[in-house]
Amino acid sequence: MKQQNERAVSPVVGVMLMLVVVIIIAAVVSGFAGGLVGGKNQKVPQLAMDVTIANSGYWSTSYIKGEVTGVDAPIATKNLQIVTSWTKSFNNGTVITGGATTTPGIVNFNVIYSTHGSYAYDLWRDTVPQGYGTGVGLNSSIFAPGQGGNIFWTVDGHGTEYNLKQGTVTNSSWWGNYNLQAGTELLCRPFGGSNSGQQGGNSQYIVGYGVNASATSPAVQYQYVYGTIPPTGGSCPLTMDGGLGYPAVTCSGATFLPYPTGNQLPDPEPTTLIPSLIPGNPWDPHTYSIDQMQGVLGANWFWLRPGDIVHMKIIHIPTGKIIWEKDIVVQGSVI
């Protein structure tokens, strides 16, 4: 009898072990299937990148510059969000915090100025940082919809504005419209110069960051100068408002206004031609300015000095994973 009882125990244990194994396998399969349904099985891209942040106090030698040094595969910036944050403490106990979130399709650069010095001003609205080189398409227009439809005409007789709507021309250099690959460069600068608001071109403006407020005054370091440069010989229309014709004036200036506050943030309409003309819409791009540095580092980035630290991270939106993160020490200009 004893031997029979011992033999009877073995099948019971075997059955129990088999049940345990089946349950474990079922759990694994269920979890895998759930991941497929929820999209959690998406591959998290790999990104290596060098980033420099410089603030010299002047528009021409302050910037954010990034260079991608490696990826496992090209990464579409339409799937990436940039988040910056920083804290600065002063000797008197005052603490200032700053930072911004860059999201594809959300405007973070909004300035009115002229690059061509002819008959109209343009409203420049886009999403920065802008991309250059590898991974950035060639079939692009630097004008946002509503900015240049009456200036640049294509062989089919339609302006840039029309082609942007039709998808035949894209703003390839905007964040969200290009890919990150080894060699891709990212760039932001504060507003202040007549060559797309950047260094070079004809001259600097008397409005912007760290500029000369007049021809005889010294540059104001670490400060913004606000105002409107009056045109020579009359008034200048804005192309976004449908201004046409060739008036006998020189529209070579700019308007730079304080950063938006209250219900103006965030600006949600990068593709609306004239946001202020939509009934009940509070977004009026005539009434505020955001330059590229403000767009990525926040309105009060000008408080940053060499040695301060900015925390920057890049988030892969589909998975919610951080794919790049670094504490960046602010430099003076190294240009």
Short mmCIF file of all heavy atoms in Angstrom, two decimals, residues 132-136 178-185:
data_model
loop_
_atom_site.label_atom_id
_atom_site.label_comp_id
_atom_site.label_asym_id
_atom_site.label_seq_id
_atom_site.Cartn_x
_atom_site.Cartn_y
_atom_site.Cartn_z
N TYR A 132 19.46 72.06 -40.36
CA TYR A 132 20.32 72.32 -41.51
C TYR A 132 21.09 71.07 -41.87
O TYR A 132 21.45 70.27 -41.01
CB TYR A 132 21.30 73.46 -41.20
CG TYR A 132 20.63 74.77 -40.88
CD1 TYR A 132 20.27 75.08 -39.57
CD2 TYR A 132 20.35 75.69 -41.88
CE1 TYR A 132 19.64 76.29 -39.27
CE2 TYR A 132 19.73 76.90 -41.59
CZ TYR A 132 19.38 77.18 -40.28
OH TYR A 132 18.75 78.36 -39.99
N GLY A 133 21.36 70.91 -43.17
CA GLY A 133 22.21 69.82 -43.62
C GLY A 133 21.51 68.49 -43.73
O GLY A 133 20.34 68.40 -44.13
N THR A 134 22.21 67.45 -43.34
CA THR A 134 21.71 66.08 -43.47
C THR A 134 20.38 65.90 -42.76
O THR A 134 20.21 66.33 -41.63
CB THR A 134 22.73 65.10 -42.85
OG1 THR A 134 24.00 65.30 -43.47
CG2 THR A 134 22.29 63.67 -43.06
N GLY A 135 19.43 65.28 -43.45
CA GLY A 135 18.12 65.01 -42.86
C GLY A 135 17.09 66.08 -43.10
O GLY A 135 15.92 65.91 -42.76
N VAL A 136 17.52 67.23 -43.68
CA VAL A 136 16.61 68.35 -43.94
C VAL A 136 16.32 68.39 -45.44
O VAL A 136 17.24 68.43 -46.26
CB VAL A 136 17.22 69.68 -43.49
CG1 VAL A 136 16.23 70.83 -43.74
CG2 VAL A 136 17.60 69.61 -42.02
N TYR A 178 11.73 67.76 -40.30
CA TYR A 178 12.98 67.15 -40.77
C TYR A 178 13.35 65.97 -39.88
O TYR A 178 12.73 65.73 -38.83
CB TYR A 178 14.12 68.16 -40.84
CG TYR A 178 14.47 68.87 -39.55
CD1 TYR A 178 15.45 68.37 -38.69
CD2 TYR A 178 13.87 70.08 -39.21
CE1 TYR A 178 15.80 69.04 -37.53
CE2 TYR A 178 14.21 70.76 -38.05
CZ TYR A 178 15.18 70.24 -37.22
OH TYR A 178 15.51 70.91 -36.07
N ASN A 179 14.34 65.21 -40.32
CA ASN A 179 14.81 64.05 -39.57
C ASN A 179 16.14 64.34 -38.90
O ASN A 179 16.93 65.16 -39.38
CB ASN A 179 15.01 62.84 -40.51
CG ASN A 179 13.70 62.32 -41.07
OD1 ASN A 179 12.63 62.50 -40.48
ND2 ASN A 179 13.77 61.69 -42.23
N LEU A 180 16.37 63.66 -37.79
CA LEU A 180 17.68 63.70 -37.15
C LEU A 180 18.51 62.52 -37.64
O LEU A 180 18.09 61.38 -37.53
CB LEU A 180 17.53 63.64 -35.62
CG LEU A 180 16.77 64.79 -34.95
CD1 LEU A 180 16.82 64.62 -33.44
CD2 LEU A 180 17.32 66.14 -35.36
N GLN A 181 19.64 62.82 -38.21
CA GLN A 181 20.59 61.83 -38.68
C GLN A 181 21.98 62.29 -38.26
O GLN A 181 22.16 63.45 -37.85
CB GLN A 181 20.53 61.68 -40.20
CG GLN A 181 19.17 61.29 -40.73
CD GLN A 181 19.10 61.31 -42.25
OE1 GLN A 181 18.05 61.52 -42.83
NE2 GLN A 181 20.25 61.10 -42.90
N ALA A 182 22.95 61.42 -38.34
CA ALA A 182 24.32 61.83 -38.05
C ALA A 182 24.70 62.98 -38.98
O ALA A 182 24.60 62.86 -40.20
CB ALA A 182 25.26 60.64 -38.24
N GLY A 183 25.07 64.10 -38.41
CA GLY A 183 25.43 65.27 -39.19
C GLY A 183 24.38 66.35 -39.23
O GLY A 183 24.67 67.48 -39.64
N THR A 184 23.14 66.05 -38.83
CA THR A 184 22.10 67.09 -38.79
C THR A 184 22.48 68.16 -37.78
O THR A 184 22.89 67.85 -36.66
CB THR A 184 20.74 66.49 -38.41
OG1 THR A 184 20.41 65.42 -39.30
CG2 THR A 184 19.65 67.55 -38.48
N GLU A 185 22.31 69.42 -38.16
CA GLU A 185 22.60 70.53 -37.25
C GLU A 185 21.32 71.27 -36.89
O GLU A 185 20.42 71.43 -37.72
CB GLU A 185 23.60 71.50 -37.90
CG GLU A 185 24.97 70.88 -38.11
CD GLU A 185 25.99 71.89 -38.60
OE1 GLU A 185 25.58 73.04 -38.91
OE2 GLU A 185 27.18 71.55 -38.66
#
